[in-house]
Amino acid sequence: MGGAVSAGEDNDELIDNLKEAQYIRTELVEQAFRAIDRADYYLEEFKDNAYKDLAWKHGNIHLSAPCIYSEVMEALDLQPGLSFLNLGSGTGYLSSMVGLILGPFGVNHGVELHSDVIEYAKQKLDFFIKTSDSFDKFEFCEPSFVTGNCLEISPDCTQYDRVYCGAGVQKEHEDYMKNLLKVGGILVMPLEEKLTKITRTGPSAWETKKILAVSFAPLIQPNQADSGKSRLVHLPPVAVRSLQDLARIAIRGTIKKIIHQETLSKNGNGLKNPPRFKRRRLRRRRMETIVFLDKEVFASRISNPSDDNNNSEEMEEERREEEETKPSELKPDPPVNFLREKVLSLPLPDPLKYYLLYYREK
């Protein structure tokens, strides 16, 4: 499933294409997609395909197409502090993007059937926290993953503000999924070959919206144990932040504000820095028209008389832009992690510095 947008050369270009095709429509979702490189969730030998708008599967590891994840993220209408449940959490790519938006006081849980995929997701999460500069640009709600069948969740589990299911849901399981939601919550799932958004507007009231046609593998039905009883899946408890952890969040937030104020002072007007590179101009294609006359087909090219002039003007403008941008198209300097640099410069004991950086060493 996928292929709705052109392939990109890197993660940013993939996001540019998703925006241009209107799959990504809000700034918050765009920031989350740009913060996490999709290729980091691929096995090394398959990374060449990471920026194509296609699903990827290898063994039990699976990633949906970027256009699907974009629609899901937009439909969930995520906000800081909400609780999120990802059914079929897979590699954790979606859960990590959601965690960037939920912030430190959200809840981010995932249920995955395959234990080997859980281990893969944990490795990728650890890699993101330890190596990505994006981690320091957001206050992150770290995902917690449990192994089990998402159709066997314990009935005494808490309800969630947002729920996503990454496998095709049979009609008989629709009510089961709805009951995982709080009043006011949003459920997004593939239902009867349509990606569907369901909003719980009351204890027994729902609003349903079909988003787009999709093709997902169906949910795997639970295996009954020898005793005839299924094995219930117990979701992680909602943890209460320790005073130490709250202090770290507050200190990091204060340092970020200082960095932001210093940046505004240096820039003067506070405007964002211009982009390092200009996007390629999409060249207008000449349209061909096929004219049908009775049972015969007469093919002719019908063009606007001004097309040739427009094309030559666009080519000339492209040439000028290329000349202007040549000096800046040298290999850019690596981005600076200002939060990390600031923390390391503070007159603090090293253990405290590493605590503020989540013990990350690069």
Side-chain angles (χ1 to χ4, degrees), residues 40-100:
D40 289 342
Y41 288 78
Y42 275 66
L43 292 170
E44 193 65 37
E45 60 267 33
F46 299 102
K47 286 190 175 183
D48 288 345
N49 295 320
Y51 307 122
K52 296 177 181 177
D53 188 29
L54 297 171
W56 173 63
K57 192 175 191 309
H58 181 77
N60 292 326
I61 302 170
H62 176 262
L63 278 167
S64 293
C67 67
I68 300 297
Y69 282 136
S70 304
E71 287 288 0
V72 170
M73 289 281 284
E74 292 287 358
L76 286 170
D77 189 21
L78 297 161
Q79 301 165 33
L82 296 181
S83 56
F84 172 67
L85 177 61
N86 189 354
L87 303 174
S89 52
T91 64
Y93 172 63
L94 178 67
S95 292
S96 292
M97 287 195 293
V98 169
L100 295 174

